[in-house]
Structures are given as C-alpha cells and as structure tokens.
Amino acid sequence: MKIKDIQEEIIDEFAFFDDWMQRYEHMISLGKSLPLIDQANKKEEYLIKGCQSKVWVYPEFKDGKVLFTADSDAIITKGIVALLLRVFSNQTPEDILKADTDFIDEIGLKEHLSPTRANGLVSMIKQLKMYALAYQSQLN
Amino acid sequence: MNTDSKSIAFDVEKIRKDFPILSRKVNGYPLVYLDNAATSQKPQVVIDALVDYYSNYNANIHRGVHSLSQEATDAYEQAREKIRSHFNIKKSREVIFTSGTTHAINIVASGFRSILQKGDELIVSALEHHSNIVPWQMLCEETGAVLKVLPMNDEGELELVEYINLLSNKTKLVFVNHISNALGTINPIEEIIEKAHKVGAAVLIDGAQACAHIKPDLQALNADFYTCSAHKMCGPTGVGILYGKEAWLVKLPPYQGGGEMIKEVTFEKTTYAELPHKFEAGTPNIADGIAFGAAIDYLNGIGFDAIANHENQLLAYATEKLLEIEGLKIYGTSAQKTSVISFNIEGIHPYDIGTIVDKLGIAVRTGHHCAQPIMDFYKIPGTVRASFAFYNTFHEIDVLVEAIKKAKQMLT
C-alpha cells in the first residue's frame, strides 16, 4: 500500500470514534500490535532523543524498502510509534522522504498530546526520515 | 490529629470559592487540580492585588519623588515587612526579593566562589531538586571544592548517621530541602543545621516545597540561608525570597551589577548599596512582590494549623484509598511527610497514567520531578505525583482513585 492510502485509512479509522477516550483505547491496542524490535537491538544508539518515555527504533534495508521495528516503555507511546510505523515501514526511502505528515493533524493527535509528547512525535518522524535519507544516499 | 478551633471552622467549599480557576472544566470534566507541588492556584485577592497595582499606582520604586513612586515603594516595602514577620526574620534587610528559589540559590552559590578553596567540602542531600544540585556542581567545578552526598533510605528519609560521618572541619556548606518535592518527606533540618554549625559549616535550606504547608520560624531554626518561591504558596510566579543572616549577606559579593544595587558610581570605583538592595539590581518585580504579600495575608487568614490539619487528613485518606489499588506502590513512606503522594502501578509507565487521567480533567505530575537522583535510587523512570493543597476535597480524591482504576484497566 502507498503511504498516502495508509494515511487515508488511518484518518477514516479515527473518524469512527466519538471521543478521545476511545481513540486512546484504539491507540493502546495498536501499541500491542507494534512490530517489536529484537531485544538485542534495544541499545543506546537506537534510542530516539527528545522523548520523555524511552523509544527504540531499529531500521533495516531489504529489497529496496526500509523496515522498522520498535518498542517503548510507555504503552500510549507504543501506540503512536505503531501508527508511524504503519505509515513509514516497508516503504522505499524515496517515498518516506517525500511523504507529508498531515494525517497527524487530521486525526487531531498532536493537539491531544502533551507538549513533551508532541515534541517526541516530531523527533520520531525526524529520525525515521533520517534513516530513509541514509539508505537513499547508499543507493545513489 | 490536631483539632483546634481553627480547623473546626475550616470550610473547604467556602475556600474553593476564593479560587476562580477551581470552577473551570478541563476536557469536559470539572478540574481536579492535584499538581500543587509544581505550583499552587491563586485566590482572587492575589489576582486583585496585581490588577490594583497596575491599574492604580504602577511606578518605579525607590527613586522617584513623585507620589505614585512613593505609594509603590511603600507597598513593596510593606510586602517585604509582611514576609519578614511571617517567617519571624529578625531584620527586613535580611529579606532579599528574588525571582524565586532557583535565583536565590544561585545568589548564594555565586557568592561562595570567592570563599571556597580547593579541597573544601559541600554536602548535598540525595533528596534535592536539580535546582539545589546543579548550581553547587558548577561552583565545585570552578573552585575545586568537593561535593559529598548525604544518602537516603528506602522510605525516602535522610540517613543522619551517614551525615555525621560526612561532616568534618573541611565542610563549608550544607544544603538540604525542608520538604522533598518528589516524595513529600519533611527533613529533620533542625538537627542538620545544629550538627553543621558544630563544625563551622553554613546551611542553606530550600524551602520551596515547605512554605505552602508550614510556617517556619527562621530565628528559631537558625539556618544561615532559607529560600522560597511565592508561586507555590498562592502567590504569583516570578518572585520569591532569599533569607540570609545579615553577617553572611554582608560578606557575600553582589550577584548582579546594575541600577538599584549601587551607592555611588564613578568609572574608577562603585560602592554597593546597603542590604537588601545590594542583591536587588535593576527594577524589581514590583507587582508580584506586592501580590506575594497579599498571598501571605491570605494564607495566614486561613491559618497554617488549619491548613496542615486538612492536608494531613487528605494525605491519610488518599494513601489508604490508593493502596487499595492492586499493584500500586507509593515512593516516600516516611511518617514525617506532607500531602504529596508519588506512586507507580506495576507494569505501567507513569506517563500513560498521567495522559489518561488528564483526559478525565485531573492534573497530576508525571516524570522525574526534577529529581533524577531519587528516581535512580528507586531504579524507576519516574512516578505519578498527586500533591494536595488545602483547597482540595475528599471527593476529588475519590475522583482521582476512580480515574486511576480506569487508567489501569485501559493500560493492562
């Protein structure tokens, strides 16, 4: 699936809920489906700076696509990471780099996060794009 | 428990009406404000004092001959006098207005640069807020003095036996908070001060967390320095005090240069103003200083016995109710503590709990509470902290407990 289509799917999914409690419940269940990082890769170098809870993201490059696995010690954060990975994992570096992140505003996620969590979200997206950029420069 | 006449007259519903913010809603629910250790809410009289100053007598102080300037100067100096009297400080010149506790600590740390020598020792308690650690680390780096840590036990109490072992004639300064912001422990500062003085060391007590709950008698306490922030005691943000014994304040060099703190200026030499102005360079925070005085009047109108009595009842009730939740662990279990409960639920990150209860209108703090060494001691990333003030109710504690149960159910 293309990034844009996945984003549309997420927007539709979140529109289905009446209130923020239900959205959080959904995010928590998404967190439980996160493609988990191998324990051996839970190292300092894969920690994302700027998050108040711990977030590890591990990138791999297979058949021209970037695959991410991740984990966090906070479950709502895990849900946020799961949403991002659903959009950005298993995509080409080029698609990841040119993707916008409007869907985050459209589902109202950012305004419902505390400022520290919102900063963490920005750091996560930045880090995913950095990895994509690194793989793309390997290709060129 | 204390049941004097003041506490019988204590009417929390009536008191709540003094605080406009307490009637608002958050995320569709009535606000339950339990982050009082971070900052307290403000009663209307304090808000009025600010508006009154800017509406009726705003002028720069200590310099103009005009009437407005004199009115403002009088009001500002009256606030200093109220603070002096409240803390039973001997002389008003020992009351330095600062921007808050952090500023106050930095004035003292900076002043000790010219006093400390290589190999001198400072003692910091394991329970400190970062603001009472970092300025001293910077001072040690600069002077070659050594920072020693007074350890704590599992209950979150300081180990006084270790303290006595750490003290020596090399000890120049000891700094401890009166009450721990992260755990609520009331520290045995009387004993800490007395023991330090026996080896000739000065003591700074960080009172930021204490002054909303108790009324310290600074002459009886005999600390060399004591600090507090108005915003934690129903006053405005951006103002606080440094109390220092006169002999120390005379000895320490000024912290900042500028207007207000000088006696005479020529390009050859400047002589400094007398206390307290020596440490009050620039136009001070006049409005907030005056409103700080109004906050002190307000708190004394309720009475610190009544405040402590109500808060202790809230603490006992909340502790009992929270411990009924399976897997909930409280950090900081000293018998000597104020109305702060730091806790975690097994297997759940504190941020997750904070996020869910916020959606239900409840304000609690989550994280390391600017006291990372305490979190490292317990080997946890942080805690959820509920801190109660005299305007909180038993009903609000019930709301908190139900919200935490809901969060627990969602998150496990």
Side-chain angles (χ1 to χ4, degrees), chain A residues 20-22 24-25 28 32 52-54 73-77 111-114 116-117, chain B residues 27 347-349 351-353 355-360 366-368 381 406 410-412:
Chain A
W20 265 92
M21 235 33 187
Q22 290 177 352
Y24 271 109
E25 272 169 357
I28 290 163
K32 289 171 183 164
Q52 295 244 351
S53 45
K54 284 187 173 165
D73 53 354
I75 194 157
I76 295 171
T77 311
E111 60 186 285
H112 283 275
L113 293 175
S114 64
T116 48
R117 270 216 159 106
Chain B
N27 295 323
I348 304 180
H349 199 282
Y351 284 112
D352 286 332
I353 296 175
T355 305
I356 300 296
V357 302
D358 171 61
K359 291 284 156 234
L360 298 166
T366 58
H368 54 58
K406 185 172 169 66
M410 282 175 74
L411 295 163
T412 43

mmCIF file of all heavy atoms in Angstrom, chain A residues 20-22 24-25 28 32 52-54 73-77 111-114 116-117, chain B residues 27 347-349 351-353 355-360 366-368 381 406 410-412:
data_model
loop_
_atom_site.group_PDB
_atom_site.id
_atom_site.type_symbol
_atom_site.label_atom_id
_atom_site.label_comp_id
_atom_site.label_asym_id
_atom_site.label_seq_id
_atom_site.Cartn_x
_atom_site.Cartn_y
_atom_site.Cartn_z
ATOM 1 N N TRP A 20 -12.163 11.091 22.840
ATOM 2 C CA TRP A 20 -10.732 10.831 22.926
ATOM 3 C C TRP A 20 -10.388 9.605 23.756
ATOM 4 O O TRP A 20 -9.350 9.004 23.578
ATOM 5 C CB TRP A 20 -9.961 12.073 23.364
ATOM 6 C CG TRP A 20 -9.498 12.704 22.115
ATOM 7 C CD1 TRP A 20 -10.131 13.669 21.400
ATOM 8 C CD2 TRP A 20 -8.374 12.280 21.345
ATOM 9 N NE1 TRP A 20 -9.477 13.888 20.222
ATOM 10 C CE2 TRP A 20 -8.390 13.052 20.164
ATOM 11 C CE3 TRP A 20 -7.380 11.335 21.493
ATOM 12 C CZ2 TRP A 20 -7.431 12.906 19.163
ATOM 13 C CZ3 TRP A 20 -6.416 11.191 20.512
ATOM 14 C CH2 TRP A 20 -6.455 11.966 19.361
ATOM 15 N N MET A 21 -11.269 9.231 24.653
ATOM 16 C CA MET A 21 -11.037 8.029 25.431
ATOM 17 C C MET A 21 -10.995 6.818 24.499
ATOM 18 O O MET A 21 -10.112 5.984 24.591
ATOM 19 C CB MET A 21 -12.161 7.886 26.466
ATOM 20 C CG MET A 21 -11.709 7.760 27.871
ATOM 21 S SD MET A 21 -10.204 8.658 28.244
ATOM 22 C CE MET A 21 -9.922 8.078 29.855
ATOM 23 N N GLN A 22 -11.956 6.781 23.563
ATOM 24 C CA GLN A 22 -11.995 5.654 22.613
ATOM 25 C C GLN A 22 -10.772 5.659 21.696
ATOM 26 O O GLN A 22 -10.236 4.619 21.356
ATOM 27 C CB GLN A 22 -13.261 5.745 21.763
ATOM 28 C CG GLN A 22 -14.523 5.464 22.557
ATOM 29 C CD GLN A 22 -15.775 5.625 21.694
ATOM 30 O OE1 GLN A 22 -15.704 6.078 20.551
ATOM 31 N NE2 GLN A 22 -16.909 5.263 22.258
ATOM 32 N N TYR A 24 -7.854 6.794 22.484
ATOM 33 C CA TYR A 24 -6.724 6.279 23.265
ATOM 34 C C TYR A 24 -6.791 4.763 23.395
ATOM 35 O O TYR A 24 -5.768 4.083 23.298
ATOM 36 C CB TYR A 24 -6.669 6.938 24.647
ATOM 37 C CG TYR A 24 -5.850 8.202 24.632
ATOM 38 C CD1 TYR A 24 -6.435 9.450 24.754
ATOM 39 C CD2 TYR A 24 -4.462 8.141 24.471
ATOM 40 C CE1 TYR A 24 -5.684 10.606 24.709
ATOM 41 C CE2 TYR A 24 -3.701 9.287 24.424
ATOM 42 C CZ TYR A 24 -4.311 10.524 24.546
ATOM 43 O OH TYR A 24 -3.559 11.655 24.491
ATOM 44 N N GLU A 25 -8.001 4.258 23.604
ATOM 45 C CA GLU A 25 -8.141 2.798 23.695
ATOM 46 C C GLU A 25 -7.667 2.136 22.410
ATOM 47 O O GLU A 25 -6.971 1.125 22.428
ATOM 48 C CB GLU A 25 -9.599 2.419 24.005
ATOM 49 C CG GLU A 25 -9.843 2.392 25.487
ATOM 50 C CD GLU A 25 -11.319 2.275 25.867
ATOM 51 O OE1 GLU A 25 -12.186 2.263 24.974
ATOM 52 O OE2 GLU A 25 -11.579 2.215 27.086
ATOM 53 N N ILE A 28 -3.908 2.273 22.247
ATOM 54 C CA ILE A 28 -3.306 1.276 23.145
ATOM 55 C C ILE A 28 -3.323 -0.102 22.478
ATOM 56 O O ILE A 28 -2.340 -0.834 22.520
ATOM 57 C CB ILE A 28 -4.045 1.263 24.505
ATOM 58 C CG1 ILE A 28 -3.742 2.555 25.261
ATOM 59 C CG2 ILE A 28 -3.640 0.049 25.339
ATOM 60 C CD1 ILE A 28 -4.716 2.863 26.400
ATOM 61 N N LYS A 32 -0.106 -2.629 21.069
ATOM 62 C CA LYS A 32 0.142 -4.050 21.320
ATOM 63 C C LYS A 32 0.492 -4.804 20.026
ATOM 64 O O LYS A 32 1.036 -5.897 20.080
ATOM 65 C CB LYS A 32 -1.079 -4.675 22.003
ATOM 66 C CG LYS A 32 -1.196 -4.186 23.448
ATOM 67 C CD LYS A 32 -2.502 -4.606 24.108
ATOM 68 C CE LYS A 32 -2.559 -4.001 25.519
ATOM 69 N NZ LYS A 32 -3.905 -4.022 26.087
ATOM 70 N N GLN A 52 10.156 11.666 26.245
ATOM 71 C CA GLN A 52 10.224 11.554 27.698
ATOM 72 C C GLN A 52 10.137 10.110 28.151
ATOM 73 O O GLN A 52 10.705 9.739 29.163
ATOM 74 C CB GLN A 52 9.137 12.400 28.348
ATOM 75 C CG GLN A 52 9.361 13.864 28.086
ATOM 76 C CD GLN A 52 9.633 14.667 29.339
ATOM 77 O OE1 GLN A 52 9.506 14.189 30.452
ATOM 78 N NE2 GLN A 52 10.016 15.916 29.160
ATOM 79 N N SER A 53 9.423 9.308 27.381
ATOM 80 C CA SER A 53 9.495 7.874 27.649
ATOM 81 C C SER A 53 10.508 7.307 26.653
ATOM 82 O O SER A 53 10.819 7.936 25.648
ATOM 83 C CB SER A 53 8.124 7.230 27.486
ATOM 84 O OG SER A 53 7.501 7.699 26.322
ATOM 85 N N LYS A 54 10.995 6.104 26.942
ATOM 86 C CA LYS A 54 12.035 5.550 26.066
ATOM 87 C C LYS A 54 11.417 4.993 24.789
ATOM 88 O O LYS A 54 10.426 4.270 24.836
ATOM 89 C CB LYS A 54 12.788 4.446 26.797
ATOM 90 C CG LYS A 54 13.766 4.998 27.809
ATOM 91 C CD LYS A 54 14.616 3.893 28.397
ATOM 92 C CE LYS A 54 15.697 4.520 29.269
ATOM 93 N NZ LYS A 54 16.320 3.517 30.149
ATOM 94 N N ASP A 73 8.751 1.984 26.495
ATOM 95 C CA ASP A 73 8.350 1.525 27.832
ATOM 96 C C ASP A 73 6.979 2.077 28.231
ATOM 97 O O ASP A 73 6.422 1.689 29.247
ATOM 98 C CB ASP A 73 9.426 1.856 28.886
ATOM 99 C CG ASP A 73 9.818 3.322 28.894
ATOM 100 O OD1 ASP A 73 9.355 4.081 28.014
ATOM 101 O OD2 ASP A 73 10.593 3.720 29.781
ATOM 102 N N ALA A 74 6.421 3.003 27.446
ATOM 103 C CA ALA A 74 5.075 3.531 27.733
ATOM 104 C C ALA A 74 4.128 3.067 26.623
ATOM 105 O O ALA A 74 4.469 3.133 25.441
ATOM 106 C CB ALA A 74 5.101 5.043 27.796
ATOM 107 N N ILE A 75 2.955 2.598 27.001
ATOM 108 C CA ILE A 75 2.109 1.923 26.011
ATOM 109 C C ILE A 75 1.409 2.886 25.047
ATOM 110 O O ILE A 75 1.218 2.578 23.869
ATOM 111 C CB ILE A 75 1.126 0.941 26.681
ATOM 112 C CG1 ILE A 75 0.520 0.024 25.611
ATOM 113 C CG2 ILE A 75 0.058 1.642 27.474
ATOM 114 C CD1 ILE A 75 0.018 -1.265 26.138
ATOM 115 N N ILE A 76 1.067 4.089 25.523
ATOM 116 C CA ILE A 76 0.446 5.057 24.597
ATOM 117 C C ILE A 76 1.487 5.496 23.564
ATOM 118 O O ILE A 76 1.194 5.625 22.372
ATOM 119 C CB ILE A 76 -0.165 6.251 25.354
ATOM 120 C CG1 ILE A 76 -1.339 5.768 26.227
ATOM 121 C CG2 ILE A 76 -0.662 7.324 24.380
ATOM 122 C CD1 ILE A 76 -1.894 6.808 27.180
ATOM 123 N N THR A 77 2.710 5.675 24.026
ATOM 124 C CA THR A 77 3.798 5.998 23.100
ATOM 125 C C THR A 77 3.968 4.873 22.081
ATOM 126 O O THR A 77 4.174 5.116 20.890
ATOM 127 C CB THR A 77 5.108 6.199 23.887
ATOM 128 O OG1 THR A 77 4.852 7.082 24.964
ATOM 129 C CG2 THR A 77 6.199 6.764 22.996
ATOM 130 N N GLU A 111 -2.751 17.777 18.928
ATOM 131 C CA GLU A 111 -3.356 18.683 19.916
ATOM 132 C C GLU A 111 -3.793 17.947 21.170
ATOM 133 O O GLU A 111 -4.032 18.564 22.197
ATOM 134 C CB GLU A 111 -4.537 19.444 19.299
ATOM 135 C CG GLU A 111 -5.636 18.542 18.816
ATOM 136 C CD GLU A 111 -6.742 19.302 18.078
ATOM 137 O OE1 GLU A 111 -7.523 19.956 18.766
ATOM 138 O OE2 GLU A 111 -6.791 19.207 16.837
ATOM 139 N N HIS A 112 -3.874 16.621 21.076
ATOM 140 C CA HIS A 112 -4.254 15.863 22.258
ATOM 141 C C HIS A 112 -3.062 15.257 22.974
ATOM 142 O O HIS A 112 -3.203 14.501 23.914
ATOM 143 C CB HIS A 112 -5.276 14.786 21.897
ATOM 144 C CG HIS A 112 -6.635 15.370 21.703
ATOM 145 N ND1 HIS A 112 -7.485 15.595 22.754
ATOM 146 C CD2 HIS A 112 -7.240 15.851 20.596
ATOM 147 C CE1 HIS A 112 -8.583 16.165 22.291
ATOM 148 N NE2 HIS A 112 -8.463 16.334 20.988
ATOM 149 N N LEU A 113 -1.882 15.606 22.495
ATOM 150 C CA LEU A 113 -0.684 15.146 23.198
ATOM 151 C C LEU A 113 -0.161 16.298 24.046
ATOM 152 O O LEU A 113 -0.327 17.450 23.713
ATOM 153 C CB LEU A 113 0.402 14.759 22.192
ATOM 154 C CG LEU A 113 0.109 13.548 21.320
ATOM 155 C CD1 LEU A 113 1.220 13.382 20.319
ATOM 156 C CD2 LEU A 113 -0.048 12.301 22.169
ATOM 157 N N SER A 114 0.486 15.953 25.169
ATOM 158 C CA SER A 114 1.138 16.996 25.954
ATOM 159 C C SER A 114 2.289 17.539 25.111
ATOM 160 O O SER A 114 2.769 16.855 24.208
ATOM 161 C CB SER A 114 1.665 16.396 27.252
ATOM 162 O OG SER A 114 2.665 15.447 26.950
ATOM 163 N N THR A 116 5.354 17.782 25.645
ATOM 164 C CA THR A 116 6.549 16.932 25.628
ATOM 165 C C THR A 116 6.342 15.743 24.701
ATOM 166 O O THR A 116 7.237 15.339 23.977
ATOM 167 C CB THR A 116 6.885 16.408 27.029
ATOM 168 O OG1 THR A 116 5.709 15.879 27.619
ATOM 169 C CG2 THR A 116 7.450 17.500 27.908
ATOM 170 N N ARG A 117 5.119 15.198 24.709
ATOM 171 C CA ARG A 117 4.845 14.079 23.806
ATOM 172 C C ARG A 117 4.819 14.544 22.352
ATOM 173 O O ARG A 117 5.285 13.834 21.468
ATOM 174 C CB ARG A 117 3.513 13.419 24.153
ATOM 175 C CG ARG A 117 3.642 12.313 25.159
ATOM 176 C CD ARG A 117 2.649 11.198 24.839
ATOM 177 N NE ARG A 117 3.078 9.958 25.449
ATOM 178 C CZ ARG A 117 2.498 9.422 26.535
ATOM 179 N NH1 ARG A 117 1.518 10.024 27.123
ATOM 180 N NH2 ARG A 117 2.943 8.283 27.007
ATOM 181 N N ASN B 27 -11.202 19.276 29.561
ATOM 182 C CA ASN B 27 -11.632 18.130 28.743
ATOM 183 C C ASN B 27 -13.061 17.694 29.077
ATOM 184 O O ASN B 27 -13.377 16.501 29.081
ATOM 185 C CB ASN B 27 -10.653 16.957 28.912
ATOM 186 C CG ASN B 27 -9.270 17.312 28.373
ATOM 187 O OD1 ASN B 27 -9.145 17.996 27.364
ATOM 188 N ND2 ASN B 27 -8.233 16.883 29.071
ATOM 189 N N GLY B 347 4.055 -2.389 36.121
ATOM 190 C CA GLY B 347 3.892 -2.692 34.700
ATOM 191 C C GLY B 347 3.337 -1.551 33.854
ATOM 192 O O GLY B 347 3.149 -1.709 32.660
ATOM 193 N N ILE B 348 3.059 -0.406 34.472
ATOM 194 C CA ILE B 348 2.504 0.721 33.699
ATOM 195 C C ILE B 348 3.433 1.920 33.820
ATOM 196 O O ILE B 348 3.901 2.252 34.909
ATOM 197 C CB ILE B 348 1.093 1.112 34.193
ATOM 198 C CG1 ILE B 348 0.166 -0.109 34.144
ATOM 199 C CG2 ILE B 348 0.521 2.242 33.343
ATOM 200 C CD1 ILE B 348 -1.242 0.173 34.617
ATOM 201 N N HIS B 349 3.688 2.578 32.675
ATOM 202 C CA HIS B 349 4.546 3.751 32.681
ATOM 203 C C HIS B 349 3.780 4.949 33.263
ATOM 204 O O HIS B 349 2.609 5.152 32.919
ATOM 205 C CB HIS B 349 4.979 4.059 31.243
ATOM 206 C CG HIS B 349 6.187 4.944 31.170
ATOM 207 N ND1 HIS B 349 6.101 6.297 31.380
ATOM 208 C CD2 HIS B 349 7.496 4.669 30.938
ATOM 209 C CE1 HIS B 349 7.317 6.821 31.256
ATOM 210 N NE2 HIS B 349 8.176 5.851 31.000
ATOM 211 N N TYR B 351 3.768 8.028 32.533
ATOM 212 C CA TYR B 351 3.220 8.932 31.501
ATOM 213 C C TYR B 351 1.870 8.457 31.001
ATOM 214 O O TYR B 351 0.992 9.252 30.670
ATOM 215 C CB TYR B 351 4.173 9.048 30.306
ATOM 216 C CG TYR B 351 5.355 9.920 30.590
ATOM 217 C CD1 TYR B 351 6.624 9.383 30.664
ATOM 218 C CD2 TYR B 351 5.190 11.285 30.804
ATOM 219 C CE1 TYR B 351 7.709 10.176 30.944
ATOM 220 C CE2 TYR B 351 6.265 12.087 31.081
ATOM 221 C CZ TYR B 351 7.533 11.533 31.147
ATOM 222 O OH TYR B 351 8.600 12.321 31.430
ATOM 223 N N ASP B 352 1.732 7.158 30.892
ATOM 224 C CA ASP B 352 0.463 6.618 30.402
ATOM 225 C C ASP B 352 -0.667 6.934 31.380
ATOM 226 O O ASP B 352 -1.755 7.332 30.968
ATOM 227 C CB ASP B 352 0.579 5.095 30.201
ATOM 228 C CG ASP B 352 1.406 4.747 28.966
ATOM 229 O OD1 ASP B 352 1.422 5.562 28.031
ATOM 230 O OD2 ASP B 352 2.030 3.679 28.944
ATOM 231 N N ILE B 353 -0.393 6.774 32.664
ATOM 232 C CA ILE B 353 -1.425 7.077 33.668
ATOM 233 C C ILE B 353 -1.758 8.575 33.626
ATOM 234 O O ILE B 353 -2.929 8.961 33.595
ATOM 235 C CB ILE B 353 -0.944 6.680 35.080
ATOM 236 C CG1 ILE B 353 -0.749 5.158 35.138
ATOM 237 C CG2 ILE B 353 -1.955 7.133 36.151
ATOM 238 C CD1 ILE B 353 -0.158 4.658 36.432
ATOM 239 N N THR B 355 -1.503 10.657 31.211
ATOM 240 C CA THR B 355 -2.222 11.006 29.979
ATOM 241 C C THR B 355 -3.707 10.667 30.104
ATOM 242 O O THR B 355 -4.569 11.476 29.738
ATOM 243 C CB THR B 355 -1.620 10.249 28.774
ATOM 244 O OG1 THR B 355 -0.227 10.536 28.722
ATOM 245 C CG2 THR B 355 -2.263 10.661 27.471
ATOM 246 N N ILE B 356 -4.003 9.495 30.620
ATOM 247 C CA ILE B 356 -5.414 9.076 30.727
ATOM 248 C C ILE B 356 -6.156 9.929 31.769
ATOM 249 O O ILE B 356 -7.264 10.409 31.505
ATOM 250 C CB ILE B 356 -5.521 7.573 31.093
ATOM 251 C CG1 ILE B 356 -4.852 6.700 30.032
ATOM 252 C CG2 ILE B 356 -6.993 7.174 31.295
ATOM 253 C CD1 ILE B 356 -5.476 6.748 28.661
ATOM 254 N N VAL B 357 -5.555 10.139 32.937
ATOM 255 C CA VAL B 357 -6.296 10.896 33.960
ATOM 256 C C VAL B 357 -6.476 12.362 33.543
ATOM 257 O O VAL B 357 -7.463 12.987 33.906
ATOM 258 C CB VAL B 357 -5.703 10.768 35.399
ATOM 259 C CG1 VAL B 357 -5.666 9.321 35.843
ATOM 260 C CG2 VAL B 357 -4.379 11.448 35.557
ATOM 261 N N ASP B 358 -5.547 12.879 32.736
ATOM 262 C CA ASP B 358 -5.723 14.241 32.209
ATOM 263 C C ASP B 358 -6.983 14.330 31.363
ATOM 264 O O ASP B 358 -7.722 15.325 31.413
ATOM 265 C CB ASP B 358 -4.506 14.660 31.375
ATOM 266 C CG ASP B 358 -4.750 15.966 30.631
ATOM 267 O OD1 ASP B 358 -4.993 16.981 31.311
ATOM 268 O OD2 ASP B 358 -4.733 15.979 29.380
ATOM 269 N N LYS B 359 -7.241 13.281 30.584
ATOM 270 C CA LYS B 359 -8.455 13.269 29.752
ATOM 271 C C LYS B 359 -9.711 13.308 30.621
ATOM 272 O O LYS B 359 -10.785 13.628 30.150
ATOM 273 C CB LYS B 359 -8.482 12.018 28.866
ATOM 274 C CG LYS B 359 -7.432 12.030 27.788
ATOM 275 C CD LYS B 359 -7.805 12.966 26.659
ATOM 276 C CE LYS B 359 -6.565 13.410 25.915
ATOM 277 N NZ LYS B 359 -6.403 14.844 25.805
ATOM 278 N N LEU B 360 -9.562 12.955 31.897
ATOM 279 C CA LEU B 360 -10.700 12.962 32.821
ATOM 280 C C LEU B 360 -10.686 14.213 33.713
ATOM 281 O O LEU B 360 -11.356 14.262 34.745
ATOM 282 C CB LEU B 360 -10.666 11.688 33.676
ATOM 283 C CG LEU B 360 -10.808 10.384 32.859
ATOM 284 C CD1 LEU B 360 -10.426 9.171 33.680
ATOM 285 C CD2 LEU B 360 -12.229 10.249 32.319
ATOM 286 N N THR B 366 3.682 13.870 36.101
ATOM 287 C CA THR B 366 4.368 12.603 35.856
ATOM 288 C C THR B 366 5.790 12.905 35.428
ATOM 289 O O THR B 366 6.056 13.946 34.846
ATOM 290 C CB THR B 366 3.703 11.796 34.725
ATOM 291 O OG1 THR B 366 3.702 12.606 33.553
ATOM 292 C CG2 THR B 366 2.286 11.406 35.065
ATOM 293 N N GLY B 367 6.701 12.000 35.766
ATOM 294 C CA GLY B 367 8.082 12.193 35.344
ATOM 295 C C GLY B 367 9.019 12.083 36.516
ATOM 296 O O GLY B 367 8.697 11.461 37.530
ATOM 297 N N HIS B 368 10.187 12.733 36.368
ATOM 298 C CA HIS B 368 11.204 12.591 37.427
ATOM 299 C C HIS B 368 11.158 13.745 38.425
ATOM 300 O O HIS B 368 11.943 13.780 39.363
ATOM 301 C CB HIS B 368 12.590 12.413 36.829
ATOM 302 C CG HIS B 368 12.984 13.484 35.852
ATOM 303 N ND1 HIS B 368 13.014 14.812 36.187
ATOM 304 C CD2 HIS B 368 13.349 13.407 34.555
ATOM 305 C CE1 HIS B 368 13.398 15.502 35.120
ATOM 306 N NE2 HIS B 368 13.586 14.686 34.120
ATOM 307 N N PRO B 381 11.772 5.072 36.012
ATOM 308 C CA PRO B 381 11.920 6.220 35.103
ATOM 309 C C PRO B 381 11.262 7.486 35.658
ATOM 310 O O PRO B 381 11.585 8.595 35.262
ATOM 311 C CB PRO B 381 11.201 5.762 33.833
ATOM 312 C CG PRO B 381 10.205 4.744 34.295
ATOM 313 C CD PRO B 381 10.817 4.070 35.500
ATOM 314 N N LYS B 406 -9.569 3.311 36.219
ATOM 315 C CA LYS B 406 -9.941 3.250 34.798
ATOM 316 C C LYS B 406 -8.680 3.177 33.921
ATOM 317 O O LYS B 406 -8.613 2.381 32.991
ATOM 318 C CB LYS B 406 -10.783 4.472 34.424
ATOM 319 C CG LYS B 406 -11.292 4.406 32.989
ATOM 320 C CD LYS B 406 -12.275 5.519 32.687
ATOM 321 C CE LYS B 406 -12.574 5.623 31.198
ATOM 322 N NZ LYS B 406 -13.267 4.487 30.619
ATOM 323 N N MET B 410 -7.514 0.264 31.319
ATOM 324 C CA MET B 410 -7.218 0.510 29.900
ATOM 325 C C MET B 410 -5.806 0.089 29.525
ATOM 326 O O MET B 410 -5.542 -0.324 28.399
ATOM 327 C CB MET B 410 -7.359 2.006 29.586
ATOM 328 C CG MET B 410 -8.779 2.483 29.424
ATOM 329 S SD MET B 410 -8.807 4.289 29.215
ATOM 330 C CE MET B 410 -8.202 4.463 27.536
ATOM 331 N N LEU B 411 -4.890 0.248 30.467
ATOM 332 C CA LEU B 411 -3.471 0.129 30.121
ATOM 333 C C LEU B 411 -2.901 -1.269 30.362
ATOM 334 O O LEU B 411 -1.745 -1.519 30.043
ATOM 335 C CB LEU B 411 -2.653 1.159 30.899
ATOM 336 C CG LEU B 411 -2.950 2.625 30.548
ATOM 337 C CD1 LEU B 411 -2.442 3.570 31.609
ATOM 338 C CD2 LEU B 411 -2.366 2.983 29.188
ATOM 339 N N THR B 412 -3.720 -2.151 30.962
ATOM 340 C CA THR B 412 -3.179 -3.506 31.171
ATOM 341 C C THR B 412 -3.956 -4.539 30.352
ATOM 342 O O THR B 412 -5.033 -4.275 29.870
ATOM 343 C CB THR B 412 -3.216 -3.936 32.655
ATOM 344 O OG1 THR B 412 -4.461 -3.553 33.217
ATOM 345 C CG2 THR B 412 -2.094 -3.288 33.415
#
